[in-house]
């Protein structure tokens, strides 16, 4: 059974805790109260039951069945359908886990379909039950509390991403493996983009809720609370956007540093080749002279000169010194 928690509320107070969906429908009608149904990975039959009882729109039901939806808020008659993408930061893997939460809000019901551990809807329910005046404002108050919890849970995610970025900045100019660091920057950039996709649409969703507040007679205090959540969302969205810019710059700097190190290595290699070639040429010139006069032929010019030996040595030395001077001038040595 995927019915996590289930309650019927009258005037902001829980009057019954039904054990099944069918029992919920009966008690809800008997008390004319608000049904708040929490489902976790529901079966197709459970979704069908809820859709039939509350006359949910087929398109919204299809989205709830298939999952993998973007963050959005849609209105079908007097029913709101919200898709939220909660997130949590996993310290062990230093990674962000994005979940999915579907919320149906009608005149006298709230149905949540959760497909991940986050957000902690039990905490939302406890908070609302501890504040009957807020819960008595109706289903919109429950939606507000869920939105507030989802946004609050983004804070540790943002803090975790910020810590990861600080570590990358420390590694950027330190002794780190270039491939591993580039991979980490790329992975973190992808996580930041996923968080931004979850957070960014919330601003438009909350603005839409506020615009419809007068038409659907939402309590003024609840409107103020929604504005506070909107301000929180905007701040988080701006921080995540700044993370994206920082990581793009970090990847650019990392690429430049890798290219410079490769260029330095190539220059160092070229310098070594120049030195080796220079010494080879210096050694080759005397070797050539010595090889020519070491061929032991009888008929050779200057072979029987008394000054032949010192002249040969002088020629060898002159060639070597001249080549050394040339290579030194060209900074090969």
């Amino acid at each position: 059974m995927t019915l996590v928690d289930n309650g019927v509320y009258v005037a902001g107070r829980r009057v019954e805790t039904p054990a099944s969906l069918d029992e919920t429908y009966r008690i809800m009608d008997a008390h004319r109260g608000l049904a708040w149904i929490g489902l976790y990975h529901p079966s197709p039959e459970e979704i069908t039951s809820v859709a039939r009882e509350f006359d949910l729109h087929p398109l919204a039901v299809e989205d709830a069945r298939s999952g993998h939806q973007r963050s959005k808020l849609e209105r079908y008659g007097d029913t709101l359908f919200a898709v939220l993408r909660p997130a949590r930061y996993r310290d062990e893997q230093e990674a962000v886990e994005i979940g999915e939460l579907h919320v149906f809000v009608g005149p006298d019901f709230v149905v949540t379909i959760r497909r991940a551990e986050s957000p902690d809807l039990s905490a939302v329910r406890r908070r609302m039950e501890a504040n009957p005046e807020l819960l008595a404002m109706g289903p919109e108050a429950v939606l507000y509390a869920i939105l507030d919890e989802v946004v609050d849970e983004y804070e540790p995610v943002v803090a975790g991403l910020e810590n990861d970025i600080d570590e990358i900045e420390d590694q950027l100019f330190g002794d780190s493996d270039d491939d591993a660091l580039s991979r980490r920057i790329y992975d973190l950039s992808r996580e930041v983009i996923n968080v931004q996709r979850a957070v960014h649409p919330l601003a438009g969703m909350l603005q839409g809720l506020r615009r419809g507040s007068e038409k659907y007679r939402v309590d003024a205090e609840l409107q103020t609370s929604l504005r506070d959540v909107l301000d929180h969302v905007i701040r988080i969205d701006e921080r995540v956007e700044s993370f994206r810019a920082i990581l793009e710059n970090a990847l650019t700097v990392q690429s430049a540093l890798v290219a410079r190190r490769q260029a330095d290595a190539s220059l160092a290699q070229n310098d070594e080749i120049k030195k080796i070639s220079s010494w080879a040429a210096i050694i080759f010139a005397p070797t050539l002279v010595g090889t020519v006069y070491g061929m032991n032929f009888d008929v050779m010019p200057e072979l029987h000169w008394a000054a032949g030996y010192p002249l040969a040595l002088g020629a060898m030395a002159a060639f070597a010194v001249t080549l050394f001077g040339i290579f030194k001038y060209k900074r090969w040595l």
Side-chain angles (χ1 to χ4, degrees):
M1 182 67 176
T2 59
L3 188 61
V4 178
D5 200 352
N6 190 20
V8 175
Y9 300 84
V10 176
R13 300 184 184 278
R14 188 189 287 234
V15 295
E16 296 282 353
T17 304
S20 68
L21 291 175
D22 290 337
E23 187 180 352
T24 302
Y25 308 147
R26 290 194 301 271
I27 295 174
M28 174 187 169
D29 291 338
H31 288 279
R32 296 184 180 276
L34 166 68
W36 183 353
I37 301 170
L39 301 173
Y40 179 68
H41 284 291
S43 65
E45 293 75 20
E46 289 170 326
I47 295 179
T48 299
S49 172
V50 170
R52 184 171 54 246
E53 176 65 25
F54 298 123
D55 192 25
L56 303 179
H57 195 278
L59 291 177
V61 174
E62 181 59 31
D63 286 345
R65 287 184 190 277
S66 59
H68 306 292
Q69 302 295 312
R70 59 178 177 82
S71 299
K72 62 182 179 179
L73 179 69
E74 296 173 338
R75 183 176 288 278
Y76 300 96
D78 57 358
T79 300
L80 278 172
F81 174 58
V83 178
L84 305 175
R85 301 306 303 270
R88 64 173 179 169
Y89 185 81
R90 302 184 68 91
D91 289 312
E92 305 83 12
Q93 292 83 19
E94 292 188 334
V96 178
E97 182 181 274
I98 304 290
E100 188 170 349
L101 174 66
H102 298 169
V103 185
F104 290 93
V105 179
D108 54 0
F109 67 87
V110 176
V111 178
T112 60
I113 299 175
R114 188 159 51 93
R115 300 186 181 276
E117 296 299 322
S118 179
D120 185 3
L121 294 182
S122 62
V124 176
R125 195 181 289 261
R126 288 193 302 270
R127 170 188 166 194
M128 295 296 287
E129 291 178 351
N131 189 352
E133 293 79 10
L134 179 60
L135 187 51
M137 293 179 186
E140 291 84 0
V142 177
L143 177 59
Y144 148 72
I146 292 172
L147 285 166
D148 190 42
E149 179 66 21
V150 169
V151 174
D152 284 345
E153 290 189 5
Y154 285 137
E155 282 293 347
V157 173
V158 171
L161 290 173
E162 190 169 28
N163 183 67
D164 289 343
I165 290 172
D166 289 342
E167 291 179 357
I168 283 176
E169 289 177 335
D170 290 339
Q171 293 174 351
L172 202 55
F173 297 99
D175 295 328
S176 60
D177 179 77
D178 289 332
D179 291 340
L181 182 56
S182 297
R183 180 68 186 183
R184 189 179 184 193
I185 294 173
Y186 173 78
D187 289 341
L188 191 55
S189 298
R190 187 172 57 184
E191 289 181 358
V192 167
I193 290 171
N194 289 337
V195 172
Q196 191 174 36
R197 287 174 178 168
V199 174
H200 187 70
L202 289 179
M205 293 165 62
L206 287 162
Q207 288 168 349
L209 284 174
R210 293 189 62 210
R211 283 194 298 268
S213 297
E214 296 296 333
K215 179 179 179 180
Y216 295 98
R217 291 175 291 180
V218 177
D219 188 274
E221 182 181 345
L222 196 55
Q223 294 182 41
T224 303
S225 299
L226 285 171
R227 185 171 65 246
D228 181 66
V229 177
L230 175 59
D231 291 341
H232 196 181
V233 166
I234 292 173
R235 287 196 301 271
I236 291 174
D237 190 37
E238 289 174 349
R239 289 181 67 187
V240 175
E241 177 63 29
S242 70
F243 291 166
R244 187 171 179 179
I246 290 170
L247 288 170
E248 287 176 355
N249 291 336
L251 195 57
T252 301
V253 171
Q254 169 68 359
S255 300
L257 290 174
V258 170
R260 191 184 73 179
R261 281 194 282 267
Q262 290 175 343
D264 289 345
S266 178
L267 287 173
Q269 187 177 26
N270 287 340
D271 288 342
E272 292 300 320
I273 292 173
K274 287 178 180 178
K275 289 178 181 179
I276 293 171
S277 300
S278 299
W279 285 114
I282 291 170
I283 295 171
F284 172 74
T287 303
L288 177 62
V289 176
T291 303
V292 169
Y293 282 92
M295 289 188 294
N296 294 322
F297 287 110
D298 243 350
V299 182
M300 287 182 67
E302 302 92 18
L303 187 62
H304 299 288
W305 281 11
Y309 178 67
L311 283 175
L313 292 179
M316 294 180 191
F319 278 130
V321 170
T322 301
L323 289 173
F324 180 83
I326 293 172
F327 291 134
K328 194 71 174 176
Y329 175 76
K330 290 182 175 294
R331 299 182 184 274
W332 282 36
L333 289 176

